[in-house]
Amino acid sequence: EGESFYAGADINFDTQGRRVGRKKILRNELEEYISPKPNKKFLGMRTGVWFYYIAGTPKKEKGLKSFIKNKLGKPPVFISDVTPDRTARTLNGQLYNEGYFQSQVSYETKQKKHETKVIYNVILPRPYRLDSIKYPTPRDSVYRSILKTVRETSLLKQRQRYDLERMQAEQSRIEKELENVGFYYF
């Protein structure tokens, strides 16, 4: 009584008239960060929740009631179990890691009968890109050959979209490359 089932979430992008690519891929990546997942429906009915309640409270750990409740049944996911403000902050942080530094994520809820859906509205600017990549000037021929190897196998390219994971992978790659030639503390 007084509760509403969580019906899932949608993500709407507002590009403010700008052309922004990768929206479909970005939507799929962001959906991974939305939790909890709603109860599944079959023919308009949440069968897992039905099994959960029909089994009642089993008296033993084993038995038919326990099997129905724990294997076939799923506890209901209510809108009160969802934290859309925290999820919006998580989505905004993920967008920041992908190079969308000035993005903003807000949310709204829409209720129909006994179901509530959360809609995340994302203001999506164009992503930031790497303007230039600079390496230190070598002091002698040994450093020059090391820097040449590091530069040639770089994961970063000019005009590439900023991506935190790629930056961290490049940092690890450079560290390994330098450790392989004897630099352990730098």
Side-chain angles (χ1 to χ4, degrees):
E1 191 64 37
E3 282 284 1
S4 174
F5 280 109
Y6 173 56
D10 283 336
I11 299 173
N12 295 330
F13 291 115
D14 178 11
T15 59
Q16 299 177 328
R18 293 179 289 242
R19 226 184 87 188
V20 178
R22 299 184 68 244
K23 283 193 289 191
K24 198 175 213 179
I25 295 168
L26 193 59
R27 177 176 279 116
N28 291 338
E29 288 175 358
L30 292 177
E31 284 174 352
E32 292 177 20
Y33 294 95
I34 296 174
S35 65
K37 302 296 180 203
N39 295 112
K40 292 184 179 176
K41 283 183 167 182
F42 179 71
L43 298 175
M45 189 174 119
R46 291 176 175 83
T47 53
V49 175
W50 184 79
F51 280 120
Y52 185 81
Y53 281 118
I54 203 73
T57 307
K59 294 178 183 172
K60 299 182 249 174
E61 285 185 34
K62 292 185 178 182
L64 183 61
K65 279 189 175 184
S66 180
F67 174 79
I68 290 173
K69 185 165 187 154
N70 297 323
K71 297 294 181 186
L72 300 176
K74 301 286 179 202
V77 179
F78 296 118
I79 192 65
S80 59
D81 300 330
V82 180
T83 53
D85 53 337
R86 186 172 61 184
T87 303
R89 286 193 306 270
T90 301
L91 296 178
N92 203 28
Q94 183 59 25
L95 287 167
Y96 190 88
N97 292 345
E98 297 267 339
Y100 300 94
F101 296 137
Q102 296 173 343
S103 63
Q104 297 173 352
V105 180
S106 60
Y107 70 93
E108 60 183 294
T109 56
K110 291 199 176 174
Q111 186 168 359
K112 278 188 194 174
K113 294 186 181 181
H114 300 290
E115 290 186 335
T116 304
K117 187 170 221 162
V118 179
I119 297 156
Y120 295 98
N121 298 308
V122 179
I123 296 175
L124 191 68
R126 281 194 171 144
Y128 277 72
R129 300 195 172 274
L130 302 178
D131 180 52
S132 58
I133 302 160
K134 297 188 180 186
Y135 294 91
T137 31
R139 291 183 269 169
D140 57 26
S141 62
V142 174
Y143 288 117
R144 190 173 295 117
S145 67
I146 294 169
L147 278 174
K148 182 180 178 194
T149 307
V150 167
R151 189 177 303 134
E152 288 173 350
T153 58
S154 177
L155 301 173
L156 305 177
K157 308 286 183 234
Q158 196 171 358
R159 300 292 307 143
Q160 193 174 44
R161 181 180 51 83
Y162 175 90
D163 186 358
L164 181 63
E165 278 185 31
R166 190 180 301 127
M167 295 288 252
Q168 290 171 335
E170 176 69 359
Q171 181 180 358
S172 296
R173 187 193 67 79
I174 290 172
E175 288 173 2
K176 281 184 181 172
E177 192 83 35
L178 292 176
E179 285 174 359
N180 286 341
V181 292
F183 292 94
Y184 291 99
Y185 305 104
F186 58 91

